[in-house]
Amino acid sequence: MWARELAVSAPGKVILHGEHAVVLGKVALAVALDLRTFLRLRPGAESRLSVSLPGVGVRRSWDTPGLRALRGRIAGKGRGRSRCPGALDALREFAGIAAGASAPESLATLAFLYMCLAISAKYGDVPSVDILVWSELPTGAGLGSSAAYAVCLAAALLMVCGAISCPLQEGESRARWTEEELTLINSWAFRGEQVIHGNPSGVDNAVGTWGGALRYQAGKITPLKRVPTLRILLTNTKVPRSTKILVAGVKEKILKFPAIMNPVLDSIDAISQECQRVLEAMPANPSPEHYPVLE
């Protein structure tokens, strides 16, 4: 049984430099935004697990015995690998999601079911809870909305299964998990991102988990400790796009035109590294000369 009501949140992100190239092992610099996704968790009806995502029009509820039976079917299909194609097909069938459906509501539901079943298979059943998720982040805008969602889900589900502690003490309004627990949250959030995006770099969920500013390369996260306060202008074109499709398009171009694309990727990598050098130099010796370089 889970007897407490509480909320978790995770920030969105913007990649300053390294977008797309980061998927191919190049350096990316990313910073957290002051825009967040929130998850409220509270005890639910007996033997029911419910999720509500008003931002994408999802309100679903499942009985926990049915979820346990589904988990057993998936374990048989994937030999324990819940993200194999056969397992995801079983999840789609269970949730009534058409094959190839890429709408936010379909992917959010699929990721929720996958994370519930995979986490419960490893750490014990998810108890009867009601989960409500809302966000200040627009979907499909490149601001890490799916990663923030996956981070919140991972934190909440790991907590109710007992894999991580509940750090919030009586009388406190906020708390933070230990580094070891954040690392576990990040690893599960990445798996949720894989369900949604196919082949993500991992940078979005890393920013959503740790916040701040960081350098990301081939899975290695390096926090940037001293970064100047910068105002970033974000323009929402209101034209949604699929990260999965965009990443696949870049990969296709690299395979088709390697002599053209590989130098472009190297240039993106060099820009990221030069930006890091300037950002780290600015707090100790701020100078107007830094800004034209950042531009």
Side-chain angles (χ1 to χ4, degrees), residues 73-131:
R73 286 173 54 203
I74 287 174
K77 288 177 180 291
R79 295 182 178 87
R81 295 179 295 111
S82 298
R83 210 175 55 80
C84 77
L88 291 181
D89 287 343
L91 289 179
R92 289 188 186 94
E93 180 185 350
F94 177 80
I97 297 171
S102 60
E105 59 270 22
S106 299
L107 295 175
T109 303
L110 189 64
F112 178 81
L113 281 172
Y114 162 72
M115 293 179 72
C116 279
L117 298 183
I119 287 173
S120 67
K122 188 171 179 65
Y123 302 107
D125 286 343
V126 175
S128 299
V129 290
D130 287 337
I131 290 176

Side-chain angles (χ1 to χ4, degrees), residues 98-180:
S102 60
E105 59 270 22
S106 299
L107 295 175
T109 303
L110 189 64
F112 178 81
L113 281 172
Y114 162 72
M115 293 179 72
C116 279
L117 298 183
I119 287 173
S120 67
K122 188 171 179 65
Y123 302 107
D125 286 343
V126 175
S128 299
V129 290
D130 287 337
I131 290 176
L132 169 66
V133 182
W134 69 98
S135 186
E136 299 168 336
L137 295 159
T139 58
L143 299 181
S145 61
S146 66
Y149 169 64
V151 170
C152 287
L153 273 186
L157 294 172
L158 289 167
M159 187 169 52
V160 297
C161 287
I164 60 176
S165 67
C166 179
L168 197 64
Q169 301 302 315
E170 196 69 38
E172 292 181 342
S173 61
R174 63 181 62 194
R176 186 177 175 90
W177 283 278
T178 66
E179 281 301 306
E180 183 180 1

Side-chain angles (χ1 to χ4, degrees), residues 163-235:
I164 60 176
S165 67
C166 179
L168 197 64
Q169 301 302 315
E170 196 69 38
E172 292 181 342
S173 61
R174 63 181 62 194
R176 186 177 175 90
W177 283 278
T178 66
E179 281 301 306
E180 183 180 1
E181 289 172 327
L182 288 172
T183 299
L184 185 62
I185 290 169
N186 184 58
S187 68
W188 280 100
F190 179 66
R191 292 174 67 172
E193 276 278 84
Q194 287 179 306
V195 172
I196 295 171
H197 292 309
N199 184 35
S201 67
V203 66
D204 288 20
N205 49 275
V207 177
T209 301
W210 278 281
L214 58 84
R215 169 192 166 118
Y216 188 95
Q217 184 177 24
K220 183 180 179 182
I221 301 161
T222 307
L224 304 184
K225 298 295 186 185
R226 299 188 62 192
V227 176
T229 299
L230 297 175
R231 296 178 67 190
I232 300 171
L233 175 65
L234 292 173
T235 303

Side-chain angles (χ1 to χ4, degrees), residues 13 137-145 234-241 243:
K13 70 84 181 64
L137 295 159
T139 58
L143 299 181
S145 61
L234 292 173
T235 303
N236 187 356
T237 64
K238 305 293 180 74
V239 179
R241 64 267 194 193
T243 299

